[in-house]
Amino acid sequence: MKRLKKTLRLFGLMLFLLLAIGGVSLTGAAPTPPKNRSIINTETAIKKNDEKEDESPADEAFYS
């Protein structure tokens, strides 16, 4: 019984490793952050007060 449990644990570990390898090969490696962080735009876009949002009639009826 101990040998069966040990074999099942090993089989489960191998299964998880194969699934992980398959997932990485399908999606590719995780992206790495750029070394030059000054190229990242950290400014937020500010909407002007005179600009009106495009609202559908359903939005107007729901929020009124």
Side-chain angles (χ1 to χ4, degrees), residues 3-50:
R3 186 174 176 157
L4 178 65
K5 285 184 180 182
K6 200 174 199 179
T7 306
L8 284 175
R9 282 186 191 166
L10 182 61
F11 179 72
L13 177 65
M14 289 173 35
L15 179 67
F16 279 125
L17 287 174
L18 287 173
L19 287 173
I21 291 169
V24 169
S25 66
L26 285 176
T27 60
T32 57
K35 292 181 180 179
N36 185 3
R37 291 210 174 258
S38 64
I39 62 172
I40 298 174
N41 186 7
T42 57
E43 296 178 13
T44 58
I46 299 173
K47 189 175 213 179
K48 294 181 182 177
N49 291 336
D50 58 340

